[in-house]
Each structure stands twice: as C-alpha cells, then as structure tokens.
Amino acid sequence: MTGDHQGFHLGYGTNGFVNHRLDDALRHFASLGYTAVALTLDHAHLDPFAADLPAQIRRTARTLSALGLRCVVETGARYLLDPARKHHPTLVSDDPGPRLDFLCRAVRIAADLGADCVSFWSGIRPEGTTPGMARERMRAGVAHVLGEADRYGVPLGLEPEPGMFVQHLEDALAFRAGLDEHPLLGITLDVGHCVAVEPMDAAACIRRAVGLLVNVQLDDMRPQVHEHLEFGEGELDLPGTLAALHETGYAGVAAVELPRHSHAAPDVARRALAALRAAGADTRPVPGPDRTGSRVAGRTGSRRSVGPVSTYQSQG
C-alpha cells in the first residue's frame, strides 16, 4: 500500500460477522472504507482444520490483496477445539496440546496471508491449578509457539483478557519479561478491557505498551463488566484513545471487536466506522514496509518475505 499519511489501519473483526461468508464479510469491510481485518480462524471462516485449507488460504490471500486489506489473525474462536467447552483447552489447561497445535497452525496461516501477527490469550486458570503451575504451563506453551513464530517470522500478540490468568497489561508485560522479552512476542490490547479491568485508562495503557503493540482491538465497555459494546454505550474515551495511538506512532491494525453483534453486522460496522471517524480516526493507507511503529521484530510488509514457505501453501 502507498499513501501520504502515517497512521494506523482501521479494521473490523470477522467474529462480528459470523453469519456471513468470509469473502462477503471482507468485501463489505472494504466497501465501507475499512482498510484492515481481524480474522478469527473458525469453522466458517478459514477453518484451520479443513481438508481444503491450502485452497482456502490462497483464495483469502487473493481477496485480501485485491481489496487492499491489512490483516491480523485472531485465535479466540469459542468452540473450534472442543464442541462442548468454550475456549477449551487453553495454554493453562492440564493438556494444552490441542491449543498449541492450533496456535502453530495459526502462525503458518498468518505467514501465508502476509498477516501482521497472531493474537492469543492465556485462558482461565483451572480449579486446582496453582498460579505457579499455570505460569509454567503457559511459559512452556508460548515458548513452543515462539519456535514456530521464529521459523516463519510472524510476531505473536499476547492479549490480557478479563478473568483469565493473564488479565492485566502489567501481567502480560511481566510474562514477556519472563521470556527474556523475546523479539517476536508483543502485546494485543483491547481498549474496552482497559475500561473494564485496568487501573488506568486506555490511552495510558497504550502509552505504557508503546513499541510493543502489534494489534489493537476497539470497542466500548463499562467498568467491571466484560461486555463488548458499540461506541458510546460504555465509558471509553474514544477520542483520547485514538489520539494516544496517533501520538505513540502506532501504525498497525486497530480493529473493531464486537463478537456478539453478528445479528446486525452490516449496520453495526457502518455505525462503528462513523463513530471512529467522528472521534478523529483516519482510514487512509500507511506507507513503508514497517507500518506498526513496534519494537517487536519481524515486522515486514509481507510475511512471505520472511522465513520458509508455509506447508499449507506448498500442499498443492
């Protein structure tokens, strides 16, 4: 992409369009004026376990390129790994193996899509699991996935999530420090979570994580309530949040995260973009090969230029 403005790319999350075909959702985002997508790998949207996955990846990559959409890969699908238990297993479960396999698959898919990063969270600490046990499980699991990230040059974004083992931004920063601040381990920040559980506002969180942000999720929330709301329905200072992103030089994807609004997705996406523009966001493209303003390594304009060709693309 080329352009005359340094800034971040406004996107929309596919988990808010679960009743749409993926191609239809992507085309709708572009038609509204979004320049990015947060792609949640799920049954109906680029299923990482599908028999025809290589063909799906090629088709999606072509569509993203044709529409000029930047991309981040999200891994928060509710029942992808276990049809009976939401988000199970996690990195801190007794058997995190299926989650590790999924995250490694996500890294390879992200490489083939030229995505900015793979975003992930820790999971809820199981009953009977001590904090020390959970920390060691997560450390070993993330180290394993970072091995795949190193191979393909794909950054990871650890997202602090209300109620999970890594709940606050400071938890995520401390965990990163415990992995020697691995250059491919960055931060995903949901600004609504800042309203819900952080001791400082979203703008302050953005400044605290400056240089480490690889992905930003945009939504409104109320204090102590983990419910994703449309802008204006909660207590997020949207203009101040967007100003902090501009001030800190963030130039990656900032995507609307409204996973419970698929029933009215087209109207919600239109209202969200209008609110973002009114609050001071800019949707013009960003020039240059390193467009996130992040210290996290591996930031190139195309993931395909880093590391080996993914096994998915090479399988016929």
Side-chain angles (χ1 to χ4, degrees):
M1 291 183 181
T2 60
D4 58 1
H5 177 78
Q6 290 285 351
F8 50 88
H9 278 252
L10 289 179
Y12 203 92
T14 59
N15 62 356
F17 267 70
V18 297
N19 303 124
H20 286 70
R21 298 179 183 88
L22 179 56
D23 280 3
D24 290 341
L26 297 178
R27 294 182 191 284
H28 191 72
F29 300 155
S31 72
L32 288 174
Y34 289 100
T35 59
V37 58
L39 173 55
T40 296
L41 304 178
D42 207 345
H43 302 288
H45 289 167
L46 203 56
D47 182 350
F49 302 102
D52 65 339
L53 179 59
Q56 287 192 41
I57 293 172
R58 288 192 294 268
R59 182 172 63 247
T60 301
R62 286 195 299 267
T63 301
L64 291 170
S65 178
L67 296 174
L69 290 175
R70 190 88 164 258
C71 177
V72 295
V73 169
E74 299 278 0
T75 58
R78 292 185 178 95
Y79 293 99
L80 181 66
L81 303 184
D82 187 327
R85 291 178 289 181
K86 185 173 74 170
H87 295 323
H88 188 83
T90 73
L91 287 168
V92 294
S93 294
D94 294 340
D95 179 14
R99 176 66 54 177
L100 298 179
D101 172 65
F102 170 43
L103 292 177
C104 288
R105 287 171 181 261
V107 166
R108 297 192 292 271
I109 291 169
D112 281 340
L113 293 178
D116 283 16
C117 68
V118 170
S119 184
F120 71 102
W121 32 245
S122 63
I124 298 172
R125 179 163 59 92
E127 185 176 351
T129 299
T130 67
M133 292 167 60
R135 190 174 299 107
E136 178 53 29
R137 288 175 183 175
M138 188 170 169
R139 188 208 63 76
V142 174
H144 175 80
V145 180
L146 279 169
E148 197 78 346
D150 278 330
R151 185 181 179 206
Y152 290 96
V154 175
L156 305 179
L158 172 57
E159 178 189 359
E161 184 83 18
M164 291 194 178
F165 181 62
V166 175
Q167 176 173 224
H168 296 107
L169 175 59
E170 291 301 325
D171 298 334
L173 295 174
F175 179 79
R176 185 175 183 273
L179 281 176
D180 298 322
E181 299 187 341
H182 191 289
L184 285 180
L185 182 57
I187 300 295
T188 290
L189 185 69
D190 185 317
V191 299
H193 294 170
C194 300
V195 177
V197 298
E198 292 290 354
M200 52 185 148
D201 66 13
C205 288
I206 289 166
R207 296 184 183 100
R208 177 74 178 92
V210 65
L212 298 177
L213 291 180
V214 294
N215 184 23
V216 173
Q217 299 168 351
L218 301 171
D219 51 82
D220 209 341
M221 285 192 192
R222 301 186 184 98
Q224 305 306 313
V225 181
H226 186 198
E227 179 184 5
H228 293 248
L229 303 172
E230 292 189 57
F231 301 119
E233 295 182 355
E235 298 187 19
L236 176 73
D237 176 4
L238 185 57
T241 298
L242 298 177
L245 289 174
H246 284 298
E247 171 195 318
T248 55
Y250 179 69
V253 172
V256 177
E257 173 84 351
L258 291 172
R260 298 184 183 274
H261 290 69
S262 290
H263 64 285
D267 289 338
V268 173
R270 176 181 47 78
R271 289 196 296 266
L273 189 58
L276 288 163
R277 286 172 168 165
D282 193 326
T283 60
R284 286 177 290 175
V286 181
D290 182 353
R291 297 169 294 184
T292 64
S294 170
R295 294 197 303 267
V296 176
R299 313 298 307 148
T300 64
S302 171
R303 197 84 303 113
R304 295 180 190 84
S305 65
V306 182
V309 176
S310 163
T311 55
Y312 295 127
Q313 286 283 35
S314 62
Q315 291 176 351

